[in-house]
């Protein structure tokens, strides 16, 4: 791996590594622990319009040649590749002030996001380039005109401007959903730690796994990026509220239609319930969470707990317990030294900002309850205790406030190892204090009492993107207050920026346009690749119900032969009272509607004794199945089952089964087929509707010559 010793950190644009011709005016980047000059960054002369255009053309084309599943699978391969290079990244990460654990959160956390989006993408999305959103809406009486929503990828680039605190995870958490969606990424990391992002991009490029143009990197300032973006593009920004506000007012956002989401600063809270007194597992878990959030990444986490809200009578206990835990467990110093648990802030500028924020809070009424703002003695890389003037070190600081309403504590973000402990008198005050953050990413509610958990969670949820409920049952298993997980939304309202990153497949769709499409069932089937009710069928089976001569039962077809709309129509089968009684006796389901005529007749839904719904579904399977060994390997479930018209004894049922969705698995010799199933009675009334889910071989191999040897 290349380490950039006082060289220029290159950008990766338009398919090549690029550095400016001169380093004049370039910004220096230093080791956060020692001040050693590592590199410079500059974008002087970079053709930003060319970068965006390359993404929109080459990137879009390369990604467009792959389906959603193929792209998701590439993320898995990429994650495995990066996994094998983690040690190199940790080594580099030390220079950002990160301890090994911090680096694991950043590096492994980022790789974990790739794995998650890879598996969710293949499990939850179609193997296609179109996602159908919700059910079709009938728009004409005869069903010939219908409407629905589809998602297709946006036609431009996903530009991502990131903060300095998570140079790896910060990139990968945005890149993964953009990539699955099929939208090329342009990543612009923050200057102080962008050299680590560059190392990851270099690995990605070297891996050769991704289509050309799917990832470009801008190392250095990109102040004019928005100038060359338009409505086709998406800009995801993470950083300070002041930069976000500048971006929000850019003419290309206001008038040009660039899609902008921002994740900004956040005065996150943790609330201790009144039941969680010292000695309870909740009190211990709470103190642990607060100290973890203060010290991981030296408190430089957008999710860190800035406001620790506790019952008034417990303020002293909480401050003492936090102080004791820090004293016992936190060793500040160069993360390369043995035993260090908290490294430097990312830069001297950052240190200055945090000290400035704490000074301002002290001036506004905060009192220093633990820690100091003096330059600390820290453990150096050689294991000595010393003050390192060029290292961005700071010890953890706890503030208390006699005026818990003071504006500064609810609005001033000290982006470092700092928290304020605030006392509340009742739950409504705790809720009000948490809400004074004016919109936050996350809050922890720590209680073992259900009513308290509900009151606090519901009370604050409208002000938060995520609420983490902590008690003795989750103390060991929780992923933590400060860790966004790829499955759940990361973002928050108001001051947090209003953005929504992550959140599983939601994040993929965030990079797509939802479009209403109206037309006939046949053409919507052709457009989406999903069979729609009313579209043409190729039906085998009973001629009286549409079966055509010569059409093969669809269960005899492998995925290579099966087509959307291939169907089977069964003949009628009569249901007798004996059948119903027999089913009741054998299953033990003697619910009165199936066994007691008088009681069934008194029921507003039934004409008298009716067949069990499960009897009908079981019989339907018997009616549609093609029993001989063949390409259908398994039935793995039913979805969306609805019983509509009751079936009394004497009625008959039949079923029509139609191949609705075919999803070949990119990693297996089989795929999924979802069958539209409709049970009707002798009059054509719909008795039940559902989807049958099967696994079907891509090629008819296993049972091609069955019995074996035949
Ligand atoms: P920042 O100064 O706003 O910088 C963030 C990013 O914006 C950097 O990449 C920076 O590039 C770039 N940038 C600055 N001015 C720009 C402009 N005019 N046009 C385009 N790009 C511009 O924030 P920071 O100090 O790096 O980050 C700390 C803040 O981020 C904290 O407030 C923290 O709460 C917030 N944060 C939020 C989240 C979240 O998910 N909500 C996550 C992490 C951090 P240069 O470095 O090259 O200037």
């Amino acid at each position: 791996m290349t380490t950039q010793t006082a060289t220029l950190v290159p950008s990766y644009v338009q398919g090549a590594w690029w550095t400016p011709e001169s380093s004049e005016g370039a910004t220096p980047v230093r080791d956060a622990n020692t001040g050693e000059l590592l590199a410079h960054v500059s974008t002087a002369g970079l053709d930003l319009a060319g970068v965006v255009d390359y993404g929109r053309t080459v990137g879009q084309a390369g990604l467009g040649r792959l389906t959603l599943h193929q792209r998701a699978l590439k993320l898995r391969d990429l994650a495995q590749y990066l996994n094998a290079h983690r040690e190199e990244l940790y080594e580099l990460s030390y220079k950002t002030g990160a301890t090994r654990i911090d680096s694991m959160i950043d590096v492994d956390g980022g790789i974990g996001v790739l794995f998650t989006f890879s598996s969710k993408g293949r499990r939850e999305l179609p193997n296609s380039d179109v996602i159908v959103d919700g059910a079709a809406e009938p728009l004409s009486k005869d069903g010939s005109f219908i409407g629905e929503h589809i998602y297709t990828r946006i036609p431009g680039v996903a530009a991502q401007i990131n903060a300095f605190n998570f140079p790896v995870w910060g990139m990968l958490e945005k890149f993964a959903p953009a990539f699955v969606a099929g939208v090329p990424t342009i990543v612009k990391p923050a200057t102080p730690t962008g050299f680590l992002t560059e190392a990851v991009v270099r690995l990605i490029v070297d891996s050769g796994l991704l289509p050309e143009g799917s990832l470009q990197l801008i190392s250095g300032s990109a102040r004019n990026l928005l100038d060359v973006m338009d409505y086709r593009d998406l800009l995801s920004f993470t950083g300070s509220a002041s930069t976000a506000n500048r971006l929000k007012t850019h003419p290309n956002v206001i008038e040009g239609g660039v899609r902008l989401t921002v994740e900004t600063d956040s005065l996150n809270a943790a609330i201790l319930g009144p039941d969680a007194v010292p000695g309870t597992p909740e009190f211990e878990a709470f103190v642990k969470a607060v100290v973890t959030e203060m010290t991981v990444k030296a408190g430089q986490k957008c999710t860190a707990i800035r406001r620790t809200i506790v019952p008034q009578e417990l303020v002293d206990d909480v401050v003492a317990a936090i102080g004791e835990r820090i004293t016992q467990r936190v060793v500040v110093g160069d993360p390369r030294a043995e035993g260090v648990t908290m490294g430097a802030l990312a830069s001297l500028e950052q240190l200055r900002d945090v000290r400035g924020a704490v000074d301002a809070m002290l001036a506004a009424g905060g009192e220093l309850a633990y820690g100091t703002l003096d330059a600390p003695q820290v453990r150096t890389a050689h294991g000595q205790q010393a003050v390192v003037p060029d290292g961005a070190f700071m010890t953890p600081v706890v503030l208390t406030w006699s005026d818990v309403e003071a504006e500064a504590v609810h609005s001033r973000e000290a982006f470092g190892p700092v928290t304020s402990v605030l006392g509340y008198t009742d739950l409504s005050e705790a809720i009000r204090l948490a809400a004074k953050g004016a919109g936050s990413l996350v809050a922890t509610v720590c209680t073992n009492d259900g009513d308290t958990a509900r009151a606090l969670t519901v009370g604050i949820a409208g002000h938060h993107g995520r609420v983490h409920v902590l008690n003795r049952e989750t103390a060991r298993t929780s992923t933590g207050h400060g860790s966004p997980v790829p499955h759940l939304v990361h973002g928050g309202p108001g001051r947090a920026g209003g953005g929504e990153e992550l959140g599983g497949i939601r994040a993929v769709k965030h990079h797509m346009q939802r479009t209403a499409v109206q037309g006939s069932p046949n053409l919507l089937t052709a457009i989406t690749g999903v069979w729609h009710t009313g579209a043409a069928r190729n039906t085998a089976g009973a001629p009286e119900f549409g079966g055509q001569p010569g059409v093969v039962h669809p269960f005899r077809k492998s995925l290579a032969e099966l087509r959307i709309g291939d169907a089977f129509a069964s003949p009628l089968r009569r249901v007798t009272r004996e059948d119903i009684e027999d089913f009741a006796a054998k299953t033990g389901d003697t619910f009165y509607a199936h066994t007691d005529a008088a009681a069934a007749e008194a029921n507003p839904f039934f004409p008298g004794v009716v067949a069990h719904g499960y009897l009908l579904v079981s019989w339907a399977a018997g009616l549609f199945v093609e029993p001989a060994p063949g390409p259908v390997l398994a039935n793995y479930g039913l979805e969306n089952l609805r019983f509509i018209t009751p079936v009394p004894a004497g009625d008959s049922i039949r079923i029509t089964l139609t191949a609705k969705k075919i999803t070949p698995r990119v990693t297996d010799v089989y795929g999924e087929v979802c069958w539209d199933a409709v049970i009707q009675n002798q009059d054509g009334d719909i008795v039940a509707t559902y989807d049958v889910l099967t696994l079907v071989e891509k090629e008819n191999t296993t049972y091609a010559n069955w019995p074996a040897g035949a």
Side-chain angles (χ1 to χ4, degrees):
M1 169 168 306
T2 343
T3 42
Q4 300 79 30
T5 41
T7 55
L8 280 159
V9 182
S11 295
Y12 183 73
V13 290
Q14 303 190 47
W17 291 99
W18 177 94
T19 41
E21 280 168 12
S22 146
S23 60
E24 209 182 304
T27 309
V29 178
R30 298 180 184 280
D31 185 313
N33 310 292
T34 61
E36 178 202 345
L37 181 66
L38 297 174
H40 287 89
V41 289
S42 166
T43 48
L46 181 65
D47 173 16
L48 281 178
V51 174
V52 171
D53 185 57
Y54 191 77
R56 285 189 195 139
T57 52
V58 178
Q60 279 271 337
L63 286 161
R65 281 190 277 275
L66 304 174
T67 63
L68 287 155
H69 282 204
Q70 288 168 328
R71 293 193 289 262
L73 187 65
K74 281 198 177 287
L75 285 191
R76 187 197 68 181
D77 296 344
L78 183 63
Q80 285 168 345
Y81 182 86
L82 292 178
N83 242 340
H85 293 269
R86 277 176 304 168
E87 285 299 331
E88 304 160 41
L89 298 173
Y90 297 160
E91 278 307 310
L92 215 47
S93 178
Y94 285 133
K95 299 178 190 212
T96 69
T99 62
R100 193 169 173 91
I101 288 180
D102 295 340
S103 303
M104 287 166 77
I105 294 171
D106 190 25
V107 175
D108 299 32
I111 293 171
V113 171
L114 298 182
F115 276 123
T116 302
F117 275 95
S118 177
S119 66
K120 285 186 92 64
R122 284 176 289 144
R123 241 188 4 251
E124 297 174 32
L125 293 176
N127 189 6
S128 167
D129 55 359
V130 175
I131 303 173
V132 176
D133 178 42
E137 298 285 342
L139 298 175
S140 68
K141 278 204 175 120
D142 67 355
S144 64
F145 186 60
I146 59 173
E148 69 186 348
H149 295 96
I150 60 168
Y151 281 102
T152 55
R153 62 184 177 150
I154 59 168
V157 296
Q160 299 154 7
I161 299 180
N162 295 335
F164 64 81
N165 53 346
F166 286 103
V168 184
W169 178 87
M171 166 172 72
L172 296 179
E173 63 130 2
K174 292 178 183 174
F175 166 74
F179 185 82
V180 174
V183 180
T185 286
I186 299 170
V187 61
K188 188 256 162 292
T191 290
T193 56
F195 62 90
L196 181 50
T197 311
E198 187 266 350
V200 179
V201 172
R202 188 171 286 279
L203 286 169
I204 294 174
V205 171
D206 290 350
S207 78
L209 288 167
L210 305 190
E212 183 43 53
S214 44
L215 176 62
Q216 297 183 83
L217 164 75
I218 298 174
S219 295
S221 161
R223 298 289 185 268
N224 302 327
L225 189 54
L226 265 175
D227 295 352
V228 292
M229 295 175 68
D230 65 30
Y231 79 96
R232 293 169 287 182
D233 309 313
L234 167 72
L235 175 61
S236 305
F237 169 80
T238 303
S240 63
S242 57
T243 309
N245 289 339
R246 203 166 303 140
L247 300 176
K248 281 180 194 164
T249 52
H250 191 285
N252 278 351
V253 173
I254 296 174
E255 291 157 22
V258 175
R259 300 152 201 248
L260 173 68
T261 56
V262 304
E263 302 284 346
T264 53
D265 52 13
S266 181
L267 277 294
N268 312 293
I271 307 176
L272 185 68
D275 58 304
V277 295
T280 60
E282 284 71 32
F283 186 87
E284 196 187 323
F286 183 82
V287 168
K288 190 173 165 202
V290 172
V291 173
T292 299
E293 294 305 318
M294 290 176 74
T295 55
V296 167
K297 290 293 283 188
Q300 302 166 107
K301 280 170 63 182
C302 52
T303 49
I305 298 168
R306 306 290 172 209
R307 297 172 304 143
T308 303
I309 301 174
V310 306
Q312 180 60 47
E313 63 279 11
L314 296 184
V315 168
D316 291 345
D317 292 306
V318 170
V319 170
I322 293 174
E324 198 179 312
R325 192 170 175 96
I326 293 173
T327 308
Q328 282 172 359
R329 293 175 181 252
V330 179
V331 178
V332 181
D334 190 315
R336 289 163 285 215
E338 185 76 29
V340 165
T341 59
M342 187 176 112
L345 302 187
S347 64
L348 288 175
E349 292 71 36
Q350 187 57 24
L351 177 62
R352 202 177 46 233
D353 279 3
V354 178
R355 284 204 182 129
V358 176
D359 281 338
M361 287 200 274
L362 291 172
E367 289 165 50
L368 201 54
Y370 180 87
T372 166
L373 288 180
D374 297 339
Q377 291 252 346
V378 299
R379 194 170 293 179
T380 67
H382 307 295
Q384 288 132 359
Q385 285 296 116
V387 173
V388 184
D390 292 332
F393 293 106
M394 174 173 180
T395 50
V397 165
V398 179
L399 304 180
T400 49
W401 298 74
S402 50
D403 176 11
V404 294
E405 306 277 342
E407 206 244 321
V409 69
H410 301 290
S411 65
R412 191 81 201 217
E413 183 195 42
F415 201 60
V418 182
T419 197
S420 289
V421 179
L422 308 173
Y424 69 83
T425 48
D426 58 25
L427 292 187
S428 61
E429 187 179 19
I431 292 166
R432 208 167 41 73
L433 290 176
K436 280 178 84 72
S440 304
L441 292 170
V442 54
T444 282
V445 165
C446 184
T447 175
N448 198 37
D449 176 67
D451 291 340
T452 305
R454 178 175 156 75
L456 289 175
T457 303
V458 176
I460 66 171
H463 306 270
H464 290 81
R466 179 164 61 93
V467 177
H468 166 242
V469 185
L470 182 64
N471 73 345
R472 63 196 65 189
E473 294 160 320
T474 57
R476 284 178 175 279
T477 51
S478 160
T479 49
H481 163 102
S483 304
V485 291
H487 318 72
L488 302 178
V489 161
H490 175 49
R495 183 171 178 143
E500 276 198 20
E501 288 164 16
L502 296 175
I505 293 308
R506 275 181 205 85
V508 176
K509 292 180 179 168
H510 181 67
H511 294 84
M512 305 181 94
Q513 174 66 41
R514 186 169 50 197
T515 306
V517 184
Q518 298 167 284
S520 71
N522 274 329
L523 293 186
L524 261 57
T525 295
I527 291 165
T528 58
V530 176
W531 185 83
H532 287 67
T533 300
R537 287 186 175 108
N538 178 34
T539 309
E544 64 275 29
F545 300 117
Q548 297 146 262
V551 175
V552 177
H553 191 296
F555 275 24
R556 305 287 343 141
K557 296 183 179 177
S558 68
L559 293 192
E561 299 150 332
L562 189 68
R563 298 287 172 268
I564 293 298
D566 280 355
F568 175 78
S570 81
L572 283 166
R573 178 171 177 180
R574 191 154 174 273
V575 183
T576 65
R577 183 69 190 261
E578 292 70 44
D579 294 324
I580 298 171
E581 281 166 6
D582 191 41
F583 191 83
K586 287 208 172 114
T587 60
D589 179 352
T590 53
F591 186 63
Y592 68 86
H594 313 305
T595 51
D596 180 339
E601 271 165 36
N603 184 302
F605 298 112
F606 303 127
V609 165
V610 292
H612 304 68
Y614 301 116
L615 178 155
L616 303 175
V617 169
S618 305
W619 275 22
L623 287 169
F624 70 63
V625 80
E626 210 297 320
V632 176
L633 300 178
N635 169 359
Y636 71 97
L638 297 182
E639 274 179 353
N640 309 318
L641 174 60
R642 288 286 177 281
F643 297 121
I644 296 161
T645 307
V647 175
D651 273 13
S652 299
I653 61 160
R654 63 186 173 90
I655 180 157
T656 308
L657 195 73
T658 311
K660 176 172 167 180
K661 226 181 318 182
I662 302 175
T663 312
R665 290 196 184 171
V666 280
T667 47
D668 291 304
V669 295
Y670 56 86
E672 286 138 28
V673 180
C674 170
W675 305 84
D676 177 87
V678 181
I679 301 178
Q680 287 169 283
N681 64 17
Q682 65 286 344
D683 301 323
D685 300 327
I686 294 181
V687 167
T689 57
Y690 51 104
D691 292 336
V692 176
L693 309 173
T694 58
L695 299 177
V696 179
E697 280 189 311
K698 287 180 178 167
E699 301 288 340
N700 187 12
T701 45
T702 307
Y703 300 103
N705 300 309
W706 198 258

